[in-house]
Amino acid sequence: MSLSTAQLINELQTYGVRLVDPKAGLESRRGGAGPSDHKALTLDGVTVMAPVHTAPAFESPYLVEKPDAEGRATVRRDGAALGEVRFPARPRFYDLTTADGVPYWKIATLHGRDVLATTVLQTCIRYQSRTKSCQFCAIGQSLAAGRTIERKTPRQLAEVAKAAVVLDDVKHMVMTTGTPRGADRGAQMLCDSARAVKASVFLPIQAQCEPPDDDEWFGRMKASGVDTLGMHLEIVTPELRARLMPGKADVPVARYLEAYKAAVPVFGRGQVSTYILAGLGDTAEAILEISAKLVALGVYPFVVPFVPISGTPLESHPTPSPEFMHSILRPLARMIVDGGLKAAEIKAGCGKCGACSALSTYERMLSP
Ligand code: SF4
């Protein structure tokens, strides 16, 4: 894996791509939690989520031509061919419907190349008013548009997970959730969901939630079949957290650090992670400083470029430059490798998938 590949991935993720055929590849998700307005493309064996429906993507210097029947297409920059990308085929499980009549694709979707992703609860106590909601989040949009259902039951998740493994060779699962009322922050729901999936099929699972009020939940989640845990800081500078995620900032960074300390002995070093959105105002130094603390605790800091989602208050916020991402990801990869953590060794989740950041490509440059 070369530096030029890592930089090209950085550019595709920050500038986005223009598609000659907007229908190429899988239909991109609009709204929702996690990556949205993106399409998965595979380049040099690496699957990348590249923005396609965002304002910066309409101006991107990268153009992807209409794919052939096998899903292969030429990518060009300023007219010059740079190579070939491949669009994943539509997963077969998308054609199925549950016994109670819900299409499987409304319950969970394919992320990257081989990840099944679901938002167990598609509502959030923080989303009810824009004065409290995270300004980058679109969790309510896909629900309002009828592209998902509000609450995915354990039985539905188990049914879809089994089909995704059998029909599409999915290798791990991400279960995220909007934050419900209650001190557990969704931990009970994630336990119930993981238990049902594990009873139905072997599939490593990452659960993602805010730190529950009681650290005993980490043991319960592990015992229910959760293999890795994501507790996502999103932004690291307290003033920016208060401004851009006013509800979620009620839980301070210090509580996250305490929760990581309690969770790592349960899940193992490198099996607890956080997601940090670079480009919302945190300096590279601030991100690297907290990352050093996280790596020392055994937490994998998955730093991704911020991509604005249409319809959110930050839809016109610029994406970070590829140079800014490079200034973080290069030293961060060194820090991660020196700290003995590696994307490839994570059992499940975003850090393992890696499609939203060039971080694991930088890691592979250091330890092929
Ligand atoms: S990194 Fe996480 S959010 Fe991004 S595509 Fe992979 S599983 Fe989905």
Short mmCIF file of all heavy atoms in Angstrom, two decimals, residues 335-366:
data_model
loop_
_atom_site.label_atom_id
_atom_site.label_comp_id
_atom_site.label_asym_id
_atom_site.label_seq_id
_atom_site.Cartn_x
_atom_site.Cartn_y
_atom_site.Cartn_z
N MET A 335 1.27 6.30 15.87
CA MET A 335 0.92 6.19 17.29
C MET A 335 0.17 4.87 17.55
O MET A 335 0.44 4.16 18.52
CB MET A 335 -0.01 7.37 17.59
CG MET A 335 -0.10 7.83 19.00
SD MET A 335 -1.40 9.10 19.06
CE MET A 335 -0.58 10.57 18.59
N ILE A 336 -0.74 4.55 16.66
CA ILE A 336 -1.56 3.34 16.83
C ILE A 336 -0.70 2.08 16.70
O ILE A 336 -0.79 1.17 17.52
CB ILE A 336 -2.71 3.36 15.78
CG1 ILE A 336 -3.76 4.39 16.20
CG2 ILE A 336 -3.35 1.99 15.61
CD1 ILE A 336 -4.84 4.64 15.16
N VAL A 337 0.14 2.06 15.69
CA VAL A 337 1.00 0.89 15.48
C VAL A 337 1.98 0.75 16.64
O VAL A 337 2.15 -0.34 17.21
CB VAL A 337 1.72 0.99 14.11
CG1 VAL A 337 2.79 -0.09 13.97
CG2 VAL A 337 0.70 0.87 12.97
N ASP A 338 2.58 1.87 17.06
CA ASP A 338 3.52 1.81 18.20
C ASP A 338 2.81 1.39 19.49
O ASP A 338 3.41 0.79 20.37
CB ASP A 338 4.21 3.17 18.42
CG ASP A 338 5.21 3.48 17.31
OD1 ASP A 338 5.50 2.57 16.50
OD2 ASP A 338 5.67 4.64 17.24
N GLY A 339 1.53 1.73 19.60
CA GLY A 339 0.76 1.38 20.80
C GLY A 339 0.22 -0.04 20.76
O GLY A 339 -0.49 -0.47 21.67
N GLY A 340 0.54 -0.77 19.68
CA GLY A 340 0.14 -2.18 19.60
C GLY A 340 -1.32 -2.38 19.22
O GLY A 340 -1.87 -3.46 19.42
N LEU A 341 -1.98 -1.33 18.70
CA LEU A 341 -3.37 -1.48 18.27
C LEU A 341 -3.37 -1.49 16.73
O LEU A 341 -2.57 -0.82 16.12
CB LEU A 341 -4.22 -0.29 18.73
CG LEU A 341 -4.13 0.12 20.19
CD1 LEU A 341 -5.03 1.32 20.45
CD2 LEU A 341 -4.52 -1.02 21.10
N LYS A 342 -4.28 -2.24 16.17
CA LYS A 342 -4.31 -2.31 14.70
C LYS A 342 -5.73 -2.52 14.23
O LYS A 342 -6.45 -3.35 14.79
CB LYS A 342 -3.52 -3.54 14.24
CG LYS A 342 -2.12 -3.28 13.85
CD LYS A 342 -1.61 -4.48 13.09
CE LYS A 342 -0.10 -4.47 13.10
NZ LYS A 342 0.43 -5.78 12.79
N ALA A 343 -6.10 -1.81 13.16
CA ALA A 343 -7.45 -1.99 12.60
C ALA A 343 -7.70 -3.46 12.28
O ALA A 343 -8.77 -4.00 12.54
CB ALA A 343 -7.60 -1.15 11.34
N ALA A 344 -6.67 -4.10 11.71
CA ALA A 344 -6.86 -5.49 11.26
C ALA A 344 -7.17 -6.43 12.41
O ALA A 344 -7.73 -7.51 12.19
CB ALA A 344 -5.61 -5.95 10.52
N GLU A 345 -6.80 -6.05 13.63
CA GLU A 345 -7.03 -6.96 14.77
C GLU A 345 -8.32 -6.67 15.52
O GLU A 345 -8.66 -7.35 16.49
CB GLU A 345 -5.83 -6.91 15.72
CG GLU A 345 -4.66 -7.64 15.08
CD GLU A 345 -3.33 -7.42 15.76
OE1 GLU A 345 -3.31 -6.82 16.85
OE2 GLU A 345 -2.33 -7.82 15.17
N ILE A 346 -9.04 -5.63 15.09
CA ILE A 346 -10.33 -5.34 15.73
C ILE A 346 -11.31 -6.42 15.26
O ILE A 346 -11.33 -6.79 14.08
CB ILE A 346 -10.81 -3.92 15.34
CG1 ILE A 346 -9.78 -2.87 15.78
CG2 ILE A 346 -12.17 -3.62 15.97
CD1 ILE A 346 -10.12 -1.45 15.35
N LYS A 347 -12.13 -6.94 16.18
CA LYS A 347 -13.00 -8.05 15.80
C LYS A 347 -14.19 -7.60 14.97
O LYS A 347 -14.71 -8.37 14.16
CB LYS A 347 -13.53 -8.74 17.07
CG LYS A 347 -12.43 -9.44 17.87
CD LYS A 347 -13.04 -10.04 19.14
CE LYS A 347 -11.96 -10.42 20.13
NZ LYS A 347 -12.52 -10.53 21.49
N ALA A 348 -14.68 -6.37 15.20
CA ALA A 348 -15.87 -5.91 14.48
C ALA A 348 -15.96 -4.40 14.60
O ALA A 348 -15.48 -3.81 15.57
CB ALA A 348 -17.13 -6.53 15.09
N GLY A 349 -16.61 -3.78 13.62
CA GLY A 349 -16.94 -2.37 13.76
C GLY A 349 -16.24 -1.44 12.79
O GLY A 349 -15.56 -1.88 11.85
N CYS A 350 -16.42 -0.16 13.04
CA CYS A 350 -15.95 0.87 12.11
C CYS A 350 -14.44 0.84 11.90
O CYS A 350 -13.96 0.97 10.78
CB CYS A 350 -16.38 2.25 12.60
SG CYS A 350 -18.15 2.49 12.44
N GLY A 351 -13.69 0.71 13.00
CA GLY A 351 -12.22 0.70 12.87
C GLY A 351 -11.79 -0.46 11.98
O GLY A 351 -10.86 -0.32 11.18
N LYS A 352 -12.44 -1.60 12.10
CA LYS A 352 -12.09 -2.76 11.28
C LYS A 352 -12.49 -2.52 9.82
O LYS A 352 -11.73 -2.79 8.92
CB LYS A 352 -12.81 -4.00 11.81
CG LYS A 352 -12.48 -5.26 11.05
CD LYS A 352 -13.17 -6.45 11.67
CE LYS A 352 -12.69 -7.74 11.04
NZ LYS A 352 -11.29 -8.03 11.34
N CYS A 353 -13.70 -2.00 9.63
CA CYS A 353 -14.20 -1.74 8.27
C CYS A 353 -13.31 -0.71 7.59
O CYS A 353 -12.80 -0.92 6.50
CB CYS A 353 -15.64 -1.25 8.34
SG CYS A 353 -16.23 -0.44 6.85
N GLY A 354 -13.13 0.43 8.26
CA GLY A 354 -12.20 1.44 7.78
C GLY A 354 -12.64 2.23 6.56
O GLY A 354 -11.89 3.08 6.07
N ALA A 355 -13.85 1.98 6.04
CA ALA A 355 -14.22 2.60 4.76
C ALA A 355 -14.45 4.11 4.86
O ALA A 355 -14.47 4.80 3.84
CB ALA A 355 -15.47 1.92 4.19
N CYS A 356 -14.63 4.64 6.06
CA CYS A 356 -14.89 6.08 6.19
C CYS A 356 -13.62 6.89 6.43
O CYS A 356 -13.71 8.11 6.62
CB CYS A 356 -15.89 6.33 7.32
SG CYS A 356 -17.56 5.82 6.88
N SER A 357 -12.46 6.26 6.46
CA SER A 357 -11.22 7.00 6.72
C SER A 357 -10.07 6.27 6.05
O SER A 357 -10.12 5.04 5.89
CB SER A 357 -10.96 7.04 8.24
OG SER A 357 -9.66 7.52 8.51
N ALA A 358 -9.01 7.02 5.70
CA ALA A 358 -7.83 6.37 5.13
C ALA A 358 -6.90 5.84 6.23
O ALA A 358 -5.81 5.36 5.94
CB ALA A 358 -7.08 7.37 4.23
N LEU A 359 -7.35 5.91 7.50
CA LEU A 359 -6.45 5.56 8.61
C LEU A 359 -5.83 4.18 8.47
O LEU A 359 -4.62 4.02 8.63
CB LEU A 359 -7.23 5.67 9.94
CG LEU A 359 -6.45 5.35 11.20
CD1 LEU A 359 -5.20 6.20 11.34
CD2 LEU A 359 -7.34 5.52 12.44
N SER A 360 -6.64 3.16 8.15
CA SER A 360 -6.05 1.81 8.11
C SER A 360 -5.09 1.67 6.94
O SER A 360 -4.16 0.86 6.98
CB SER A 360 -7.14 0.73 8.08
OG SER A 360 -8.00 0.94 7.00
N THR A 361 -5.28 2.46 5.88
CA THR A 361 -4.33 2.43 4.77
C THR A 361 -2.99 3.00 5.23
O THR A 361 -1.93 2.46 4.91
CB THR A 361 -4.89 3.23 3.57
OG1 THR A 361 -6.18 2.70 3.26
CG2 THR A 361 -4.00 3.13 2.36
N TYR A 362 -3.03 4.07 6.01
CA TYR A 362 -1.77 4.61 6.58
C TYR A 362 -1.13 3.57 7.49
O TYR A 362 0.08 3.41 7.50
CB TYR A 362 -2.05 5.89 7.36
CG TYR A 362 -2.21 7.13 6.50
CD1 TYR A 362 -3.45 7.49 5.97
CD2 TYR A 362 -1.12 7.96 6.21
CE1 TYR A 362 -3.60 8.62 5.19
CE2 TYR A 362 -1.27 9.10 5.43
CZ TYR A 362 -2.51 9.42 4.93
OH TYR A 362 -2.66 10.54 4.14
N GLU A 363 -1.95 2.85 8.28
CA GLU A 363 -1.39 1.81 9.17
C GLU A 363 -0.67 0.74 8.35
O GLU A 363 0.40 0.30 8.70
CB GLU A 363 -2.50 1.13 9.97
CG GLU A 363 -2.97 1.91 11.15
CD GLU A 363 -4.18 1.22 11.80
OE1 GLU A 363 -4.20 -0.02 11.90
OE2 GLU A 363 -5.10 1.95 12.19
N ARG A 364 -1.32 0.33 7.25
CA ARG A 364 -0.72 -0.74 6.44
C ARG A 364 0.59 -0.31 5.81
O ARG A 364 1.47 -1.12 5.57
CB ARG A 364 -1.70 -1.24 5.38
CG ARG A 364 -2.77 -2.18 5.95
CD ARG A 364 -3.47 -2.93 4.85
NE ARG A 364 -4.25 -2.05 4.02
CZ ARG A 364 -5.49 -1.63 4.32
NH1 ARG A 364 -6.08 -2.04 5.41
NH2 ARG A 364 -6.14 -0.80 3.52
N MET A 365 0.73 0.99 5.56
CA MET A 365 2.01 1.47 5.01
C MET A 365 3.14 1.26 6.02
O MET A 365 4.29 1.08 5.66
CB MET A 365 1.93 2.98 4.76
CG MET A 365 1.33 3.33 3.43
SD MET A 365 0.79 5.05 3.41
CE MET A 365 1.86 5.90 4.51
N LEU A 366 2.79 1.32 7.33
CA LEU A 366 3.80 1.19 8.37
C LEU A 366 4.07 -0.27 8.72
O LEU A 366 5.17 -0.62 9.13
CB LEU A 366 3.35 1.92 9.63
CG LEU A 366 3.18 3.42 9.49
CD1 LEU A 366 2.55 4.01 10.73
CD2 LEU A 366 4.52 4.08 9.23
#
